[in-house]
Amino acid sequence: MSNMMRDSQIMAQTKDENLGYMSDMALELAQMAEDSGLATLAYLFRMAALEASTANSELNVPDDLPRQVTSH
């Protein structure tokens, strides 16, 4: 069980970093789409960025899992 806990911890940490990256990328893509006059595509990328940043902040809410490994 402790092995599974540790694995889910590492996965959550990796997911955390990936979501931050995805959010930034989506915003950049939204800007590029907007510059190209692709308003609908820009909107979709902004929604994706919002989704990623929302999921990211949900992961950062303290939960019941003990956090032995912290990146900060």
Side-chain angles (χ1 to χ4, degrees), residues 14-55:
T14 306
K15 193 175 177 190
D16 195 25
E17 289 161 14
N18 287 348
L19 283 168
Y21 173 75
M22 279 169 57
S23 180
D24 294 343
M25 278 302 290
L27 284 174
E28 282 182 39
L29 288 168
Q31 190 57 58
M32 286 166 62
E34 220 162 64
D35 295 343
S36 308
L38 303 170
T40 308
L41 195 58
Y43 173 78
L44 289 175
F45 280 127
R46 288 196 195 287
M47 289 297 103
L50 184 65
E51 191 71 37
S53 63
T54 303

